[in-house]
Amino acid sequence: MSLQEEISKRRTFGIISHPDAGKTTLTEKLLLFGGAIQTAGAVKNNKIKKTATSDFMEIEKQRGISVATSVMAFNYRDRQINILDTPGHKDFAEDTYRTLTAVDSVILVIDCANGVEAQTERLMEVCRMRNTPVIVFINKMDREGQDAFDLLDELEEKLSIKVRPMSWPIGIGETFKGVYNLHRDTLNLFSGNKTEIEKEVIEIQDIDDSTLNDAIGDEDAAMLREEVELVNGVYGDFERETYLAGEVAPVYFGSALNNFGVQELLDSFVDISPTPQGRMSDQGFVEPENPKFSGFVFKIHANIDPKHRDRIAFLRIVSGEFKRNTFYKNIRLDKKVKFSNPTSFMASSKEIIENAYPGDVIGLYDTGVFKIGDTLTAGENFMYKGMPSFSPEIFKEVQNDDPMKSKQLEKGLRQLTDEGVAQLFTIQPGNRKIIGTVGELQFEVIQYRLKHEYNASCSFMHRSHHKACWMTSGDESKINEFIRRKASNIAYDKDGNTVFLADSPFLLQQAELDYPDITFHTTSDFKLG
Ligand code: G4P
């Protein structure tokens, strides 16, 4: 098969949702419909429950599970579908943001009762930054929820994206009868059957067909006709280009738990979703069809066996063909490396692969060399433009509890932050280390892993910063002046970039007013150019 054919065959996407909206259930059902698993319940729920904060073994176990379910690939209608899992727990939001750099599109799951929730908004902001195409699945239609028109308004308002319903629900909760597919003119009747995959699809001529009345009754048919007319009037035609440009999100309604609307979603996904896309590098855009292999590491997962300390780096292939046992260049280290055991993540098994293509995610065993954001190429000197770092929200200073183990602590902190567990900043005087995270859970993970993997002990001292801001200005002297004035709130990130640790929203606003020539960024994405 040619490179072009391999590319055309692949679809790589992520499912995002607020916890409990049904991401795990939908993932499982997609695998079930794709024939990758035979029974429901096979995908472990990779949610880290709140109670896990004090149970380290539980965290470790969960981390183990999340390796297994990090990438799930399966074949459906001659396509290879790669689903990239995103952690649901909000403390791991940073992981999710990075995973979103490795997908070409996303499916957003919304609970029909709760609508758009806090985490959905943040995740969508990340998608909007990259114009990632989004399909929305409104889930749990078997339960009482909000009116469909209200939900669509809420989506547009809170997620700053236009929506286009592709199917329309008939009733909701107790009265839910099914959905009408607005494009295929089919009626999909709801049976509430959790175990069977097949469902009844009724072909109808058009919305005025009397078959509709026979299937759902006169009253519901009349209501449906009225609503469909309104939908078509309000939302206009669906144009695939606007979806691919990340401007319009097609919306489907269903119930993942009841296998309802899932096949329709999967079929539409296969029809409209983008093939693997290229990525921007510091030397320009790299197309997937470029025959020379290149890719980037977006996730590093430590092995659960502390004695080995080996890790799996997840590499997204951007261009060309990856081959086993071939030397590739790690651009950051300017070093050639080859991999004898690269693995694929087919949902049914994890196996060693000989080659892989754009859109694929492969697992590379690593002994601590890789860093999140690393670029591998066939020899060309360019770098993918890095992973975005988002400003942490919790900051703590590291106190070394065992001065005899300073080296180990240093190494442990470096490696753990290379893995992306948290961000590391250095502040003067005394090269003090500050760890920044989005959730409390990371501090426990860091403490635990430092002890078990590096034999180092530390405790944390709270620091009351609000945000870490990267700075840019057309006039470097302004930044230098700012650094002098705010010395006690200036730190350096791992790449040596200066950051301003603002103590409160007010002080950040004040800095912006006092220094209008400086732009304060709460994500490092500005480096992406
Ligand atoms: P998440 O990964 O987004 O966090 O959500 P998950 O799939 O775990 O689903 C959260 C809860 O919602 C689960 O119930 C799940 O069974 C339920 N659910 C998912 N889809 C539907 C649906 O279409 N209809 C209804 N009524 N419920 C749905 P749970 O009780 O929390 O967990 P479990 O004991 O069922 O695993």
Side-chain angles (χ1 to χ4, degrees):
M1 212 185 276
S2 70
L3 178 62
Q4 183 57 57
E5 284 166 328
E6 294 285 0
I7 296 170
S8 315
K9 193 178 145 175
R10 286 168 166 74
R11 299 289 184 278
T12 301
F13 77 106
I15 305 183
I16 55 176
S17 76
H18 190 87
D20 277 342
K23 180 170 69 69
T24 312
T25 313
L26 180 65
T27 307
E28 178 170 291
K29 295 304 166 80
L30 289 173
L31 294 177
L32 203 60
F33 279 71
I37 54 171
Q38 263 58 51
T39 49
V43 178
K44 292 284 174 297
N45 198 328
N46 130 35
K47 277 185 283 180
I48 296 181
K49 299 264 195 282
K50 261 264 170 287
T51 51
T53 45
S54 55
D55 183 348
F56 302 113
M57 279 331 286
E58 188 56 27
I59 296 175
E60 292 298 287
K61 212 169 77 203
Q62 296 279 6
R63 286 180 39 234
I65 291 169
S66 73
V67 160
T69 58
S70 280
V71 184
M72 289 158 283
F74 65 95
N75 294 309
Y76 183 74
R77 278 181 34 198
D78 289 334
R79 300 278 192 276
Q80 181 182 319
I81 317 263
N82 300 316
I83 307 183
L84 272 55
D85 191 30
T86 54
H89 196 290
K90 78 167 178 26
D91 285 8
F92 290 87
E94 189 95 355
D95 255 2
T96 300
Y97 300 154
R98 286 189 293 253
T99 300
L100 291 178
T101 65
V103 304
D104 300 304
S105 69
V106 304
I107 292 182
L108 167 65
V109 186
I110 300 275
D111 179 327
C112 71
N114 299 336
V116 176
E117 296 170 85
Q119 211 161 315
T120 321
E121 280 186 62
R122 294 183 62 174
L123 290 169
M124 272 295 288
E125 263 172 43
V126 181
C127 295
R128 312 289 307 120
M129 278 162 64
R130 292 166 183 275
N131 299 323
T132 310
V134 180
I135 295 179
V136 179
F137 183 71
I138 299 186
N139 191 29
K140 305 197 187 182
M141 291 301 290
D142 58 314
R143 289 230 192 120
E144 294 309 320
Q146 299 179 37
D147 171 75
F149 283 108
D150 290 348
L151 275 169
L152 295 178
D153 284 350
E154 190 180 333
L155 284 169
E156 290 204 332
E157 201 176 297
K158 291 199 177 158
L159 305 180
S160 343
I161 191 165
K162 291 210 170 322
V163 296
R164 186 17 162 139
M166 305 295 274
S167 66
W168 195 253
I170 304 157
I172 191 164
E174 286 275 290
T175 62
F176 184 55
K177 286 197 174 157
V179 295
Y180 178 74
N181 186 307
L182 297 161
H183 284 259
R184 297 204 187 101
D185 281 322
T186 49
L187 189 64
N188 184 352
L189 291 180
F190 179 67
S191 65
N193 190 331
K194 293 191 181 65
T195 48
E196 274 180 24
I197 286 186
E198 251 343 294
K199 78 263 146 146
E200 199 183 346
V201 177
I202 301 174
E203 303 271 342
I204 42 186
Q205 294 288 319
D206 58 42
I207 190 79
D208 294 320
D209 193 333
S210 64
T211 321
L212 199 62
N213 298 56
D214 302 339
I216 58 175
D218 291 339
E219 203 176 310
D220 281 334
M223 167 87 103
L224 179 66
R225 287 186 184 112
E226 204 175 292
E227 291 186 344
V228 166
E229 195 184 330
L230 198 55
V231 166
N232 287 333
V234 171
Y235 295 101
D237 288 340
F238 170 70
E239 287 161 15
R240 185 173 175 228
E241 291 66 40
T242 55
Y243 153 70
L244 291 177
E247 291 161 10
V248 174
V251 180
Y252 293 86
F253 293 84
S255 165
L257 187 66
N258 294 290
N259 300 325
F260 190 78
V262 178
Q263 179 112 45
E264 184 179 42
L265 177 72
L266 184 57
D267 281 329
S268 303
F269 171 80
V270 167
D271 290 341
I272 66 171
S273 65
T275 52
Q277 302 290 296
R279 291 290 185 276
M280 189 53 105
S281 81
D282 58 359
Q283 304 294 316
F285 196 78
V286 181
E287 298 287 354
E289 292 82 9
N290 185 328
K292 294 192 172 141
F293 160 77
S294 69
F296 63 91
V297 172
F298 64 94
K299 177 177 174 125
I300 295 177
H301 221 295
N303 207 320
I304 355 185
D305 183 354
K307 284 189 222 82
H308 291 104
R309 212 193 276 166
D310 50 348
R311 315 189 293 181
I312 301 175
F314 290 74
L315 181 105
R316 150 85 196 215
I317 297 171
V318 179
S319 66
E321 178 182 354
F322 172 92
K323 295 191 182 118
R324 182 162 93 102
N325 275 329
T326 303
F327 276 104
Y328 292 121
K329 189 168 173 183
N330 180 324
I331 301 295
R332 181 178 53 90
L333 301 173
D334 192 20
K335 204 174 142 193
K336 294 230 161 174
V337 276
K338 68 173 179 175
F339 303 92
S340 49
N341 297 316
T343 53
S344 73
F345 297 92
M346 288 310 278
S348 42
S349 63
K350 204 166 89 184
E351 47 194 43
I352 293 177
I353 44 126
E354 291 300 329
N355 27 38
Y357 300 93
D360 282 345
V361 171
I362 53 173
L364 302 174
Y365 285 94
D366 166 44
T367 46
V369 180
F370 276 126
K371 191 170 158 179
I372 292 246
D374 274 354
T375 300
L376 277 189
T377 73
E380 288 72 13
N381 282 318
F382 65 79
M383 267 181 148
Y384 286 108
K385 291 205 155 185
M387 289 287 127
S389 299
F390 290 79
S391 172
E393 281 156 27
I394 307 173
F395 297 85
K396 293 187 187 185
E397 190 173 323
V398 179
Q399 312 271 346
N400 187 356
D401 288 348
D402 185 353
M404 302 294 286
K405 299 277 163 55
S406 301
K407 278 235 167 69
Q408 284 89 332
L409 179 68
E410 188 102 356
K411 182 173 179 190
L413 283 175
R414 202 187 66 235
Q415 290 201 340
L416 292 182
T417 48
D418 277 355
E419 268 179 41
V421 176
Q423 291 180 52
L424 187 64
F425 301 96
T426 310
I427 193 163
Q428 301 302 344
N431 275 331
R432 286 168 296 150
K433 301 268 182 289
I434 294 179
I435 295 208
T437 68
V438 286
E440 281 291 341
L441 197 51
Q442 270 82 352
F443 290 99
E444 306 200 23
V445 172
I446 290 170
Q447 231 167 10
Y448 177 84
R449 290 190 56 194
L450 282 172
K451 181 110 210 112
H452 287 79
E453 294 169 36
Y454 298 89
N455 199 17
S457 310
C458 75
S459 45
F460 297 110
M461 196 173 77
H462 180 73
R463 291 188 66 110
S464 54
H465 305 302
H466 154 68
K467 284 259 153 76
C469 306
W470 289 267
M471 294 177 281
T472 52
S473 174
D475 183 354
E476 272 304 301
S477 68
K478 297 283 184 213
I479 295 193
N480 291 335
E481 181 191 327
F482 184 80
I483 293 173
R484 272 196 311 279
R485 290 262 178 95
K486 304 277 178 191
S488 58
N489 282 70
I490 296 296
Y492 296 88
D493 72 9
K494 278 181 72 175
D495 300 324
N497 298 307
T498 316
V499 292
F500 169 48
L501 300 176
D503 288 343
S504 68
F506 171 76
L507 289 172
L508 175 57
Q509 211 177 15
Q510 198 61 45
E512 282 170 333
L513 286 175
D514 293 347
Y515 290 85
D517 297 327
I518 302 180
T519 314
F520 295 88
H521 307 266
T522 51
T523 77
S524 69
D525 237 17
F526 65 90
K527 285 188 286 184
L528 292 170

